[in-house]
Amino acid sequence: MKISGKRGEISGEIIMMIPKILFLTAVLFAVVILVKLYIITNTDIREVESNVLIGRLLYSKHGLSYFDEDLKRVYPGAIDLNKFKQIGEANPNGLDMISLSYGSDNPIISAKITLKQESKDDVIAFYNKNKFDQWEPRTLSTVKGGAGSVKSFRKEVYVLVNDNGKFSPAILEFNIIS
Amino acid sequence: MRNKTISKLLFNNKKGISDEMFFNIFEIVLAFIVILSLFNFVTGVVKQTIFEKNYLARDASALVNTIYAAPGDLEYTYYENSKGNTFQFNFMQNKVEVYEPQETDSSSRVFYLFAEDKNTPFKYLIIKNDKGSINLKFKKTNDIVVYSSLTMPNGEGRMGGAGASGTLVK
């Protein structure tokens, strides 16, 4: 194509401007993407939530700790073995329906609580068991489809176990997935 | 007719703007428009309150969970000063919603979930705030009541003359 004359000169200039405009558009998009990239809209409170859940299970009147009906007081960190076994056996979703209810579907947090006693079998209770089973594989980085979308937190707490008035030392292991 | 005269003056007149000059000016104007639109975009981002609403919703729900964790009765005052923003708190079943008064569309509101204890019921309440700062008072006895420091615990009427009020949700 031969570009000559006044009009040809102008159209040639316009053609020359195309890469400039493309470059300008690329810069515009780059700035927008960079700004959007650095905007934080969410705060990750999963670890805080996990600690609060542990606190709630250990210290709350309707958690795992022994509650003296006569004195109307909780013994924080003294696990009521009968209550714990009931939670583990009777209804795997018992805790999240009454004491710690996020509604019919809990998309926030789930936990596996293991009570380890010397020379005795471990007693296991779940909080939000359905979601725990669903989320547990996702904590592994090797799992395809959703790996890393949930976080796992582990904590061991030294407790006393109240077995019909007899106290003995034990370890309560929390495996929380949030 | 007038346009023709202007273009004639611009391009054909020896004293007018040359083609090169015209394209240079065009480029400068284009760059200026881009800079202006970017500034406009950044200003828009700065004005957004999504982060604040997210933060407040999460903070309030974590606070409710912590209050539930306390073995006994308690009273806690949460001082919120969002510097000019008048965020409203709507404590609903299992969730707390934070929004600005003009946000009538529920999609622009931000909420976060908290775990209720059915043995200790939570009194649902909308806390209005028209002064930019608010004191949220949480009181836990047999149930949990949340109210602004300027309203009665049962949500009826104001205790003071400043700008925060609560509405009890039935």
Side-chain angles (χ1 to χ4, degrees):
Chain A
M1 191 177 75
K2 196 182 173 186
I3 301 165
S4 61
K6 197 80 183 170
R7 283 186 183 181
E9 219 171 88
I10 291 169
S11 59
E13 289 268 10
I14 290 167
I15 291 165
M16 292 289 278
M17 280 201 76
I18 292 170
K20 288 181 186 175
I21 290 168
L22 284 176
F23 182 72
L24 200 69
T25 318
V27 169
L28 190 78
F29 274 104
V31 172
V32 170
I33 289 164
L34 275 174
V35 170
K36 290 234 173 202
L37 207 70
Y38 283 99
I39 299 170
I40 303 163
T41 51
N42 284 336
T43 349
D44 190 354
I45 59 161
R46 287 182 288 186
E47 198 172 348
V48 175
E49 274 180 328
S50 304
N51 287 324
V52 171
L53 179 81
I54 293 171
R56 238 176 119 163
L57 289 169
L58 286 177
Y59 305 125
S60 164
K61 194 163 92 175
H62 304 110
L64 303 171
S65 292
Y66 170 65
F67 180 73
D68 194 319
E69 289 290 347
D70 301 325
L71 296 172
K72 299 284 176 206
R73 63 158 285 199
V74 188
Y75 286 76
I79 304 302
D80 189 335
L81 190 64
N82 293 332
K83 203 198 253 184
F84 194 87
K85 277 182 177 168
Q86 231 176 13
I87 290 163
E89 287 163 8
N91 181 5
N93 294 314
L95 262 179
D96 41 303
M97 296 312 287
I98 300 153
S99 308
L100 282 125
S101 170
Y102 274 98
S104 54
D105 183 45
N106 174 358
I108 303 283
I109 202 164
S110 66
K112 182 184 176 184
I113 311 148
T114 314
L115 183 70
K116 294 175 175 177
Q117 290 173 281
E118 206 179 354
S119 64
K120 278 183 185 172
D121 289 341
D122 293 352
V123 188
I124 297 168
F126 284 93
Y127 171 69
N128 194 11
K129 189 180 186 304
N130 300 343
K131 281 284 189 304
F132 187 89
D133 294 341
Q134 203 179 317
W135 290 341
E136 198 182 15
R138 290 202 210 162
T139 54
L140 303 166
S141 57
T142 47
V143 172
K144 281 182 183 174
S149 57
V150 286
K151 250 182 177 178
S152 170
F153 305 94
R154 271 178 189 276
K155 196 172 182 180
E156 281 188 345
V157 182
Y158 293 95
V159 291
L160 287 174
V161 172
N162 179 8
D163 188 3
N164 295 319
K166 194 186 163 196
F167 286 89
S168 57
I171 294 170
L172 199 60
E173 188 192 77
F174 292 92
N175 181 9
I176 296 173
I177 302 177
S178 182
Chain B
M1 185 68 185
R2 198 167 175 269
N3 284 346
K4 267 190 177 179
T5 322
I6 291 167
S7 65
K8 212 175 182 182
L9 270 171
L10 276 171
F11 298 110
N12 297 341
N13 198 321
K14 278 184 183 174
K15 285 178 183 173
I17 304 166
S18 68
D19 299 345
E20 208 177 324
M21 182 78 92
F22 171 75
F23 281 109
N24 282 342
I25 291 168
F26 176 71
E27 280 172 16
I28 290 166
V29 169
L30 200 66
F32 194 68
I33 290 168
V34 168
I35 290 167
L36 269 183
S37 56
L38 279 177
F39 268 111
N40 195 30
F41 166 71
V42 173
T43 317
V45 167
V46 169
K47 279 182 186 167
Q48 276 179 7
T49 53
I50 298 168
F51 177 77
E52 282 92 338
K53 284 186 282 186
N54 247 315
Y55 174 86
L56 287 171
R58 281 156 201 258
D59 210 20
S61 67
L63 181 59
V64 174
N65 279 333
T66 313
I67 287 167
Y68 267 123
D73 299 344
L74 69 83
E75 261 190 64
Y76 183 85
T77 307
Y78 177 83
Y79 180 61
E80 194 276 301
N81 184 4
S82 48
K83 290 176 184 169
N85 291 311
T86 49
F87 296 119
Q88 323 271 299
F89 290 79
N90 185 3
F91 289 91
M92 302 153 85
Q93 188 177 11
N94 293 117
K95 68 178 179 183
V96 52
E97 200 176 62
V98 180
Y99 58 96
E100 287 180 273
Q102 66 270 19
E103 288 172 339
T104 46
D105 181 22
S106 60
S107 62
S108 56
R109 296 177 175 191
V110 173
F111 72 89
Y112 202 73
L113 303 175
F114 63 83
E116 272 189 64
D117 186 344
K118 303 280 183 201
N119 303 299
T120 314
F122 194 95
K123 293 274 173 70
Y124 309 128
L125 193 81
I126 297 170
I127 308 267
K128 288 175 183 167
N129 163 23
D130 46 26
K131 285 282 176 190
S133 64
I134 194 168
N135 284 344
L136 293 179
K137 287 210 170 195
F138 293 85
K139 195 176 180 183
K140 184 189 169 203
T141 43
N142 293 322
D143 54 10
I144 293 183
V145 183
V146 56
Y147 56 97
S148 92
S149 59
L150 301 165
T151 49
M152 302 290 281
N154 60 6
E156 292 164 4
R158 292 181 178 195
M159 284 167 81
S165 61
T167 312
L168 193 67
V169 179
K170 302 284 177 192

